[in-house]
Amino acid sequence: LFAVLGAVVGLAAVAVETVSDKLHLLRSQAMGQIESGTEEHFTAKRWAILSLFNLLCVAIAATMVLFIEPAAAGSGISDVMTYLNGTHVSNLFRLRTVVVKLIGVMLAVGSSLVAGPEG
């Protein structure tokens, strides 16, 4: 049982790293497409793409937590500590909570927020 749990956690960590790397690459490629105009215009376009990309990732993650599974909000450390101390925490170990938290971490890390492995 512990081997299966360890494998699942390892696959989740690999998924977070892979998806966040792909999001960073996508953002870099989108910013690299801007080549025309003056230097100020070039910088403004790249800044706008960077900001909009990060805003979109964070908005998707926040919307998922807000409307799909509010129990996925926060780091979860205090919830797990509460559970281990014998208090029932509703919706803590549901599949939907885990999936929303996993996708939210992928999007947060992909948008350069200090979360997940970085935070």
Side-chain angles (χ1 to χ4, degrees), residues 12 61 64-77 79-80 89-106:
M64 287 178 58
V65 169
L66 188 62
F67 294 111
I68 296 175
E69 188 58 55
S75 71
I77 294 172
D79 294 334
V80 171
V89 180
S90 62
N91 301 334
L92 181 62
F93 296 114
R94 285 184 11 180
L95 181 62
R96 187 165 60 174
T97 304
V98 173
V99 169
V100 168
K101 187 175 284 289
L102 187 64
I103 293 171
V105 166
M106 290 175 185

Side-chain angles (χ1 to χ4, degrees), residues 6-30:
V8 169
V9 170
L11 287 174
V14 168
V16 168
E17 188 67 29
T18 303
V19 171
S20 63
D21 285 345
K22 296 288 183 189
L23 288 172
H24 285 293
L25 182 64
L26 179 67
R27 183 180 60 211
S28 297
Q29 288 174 346

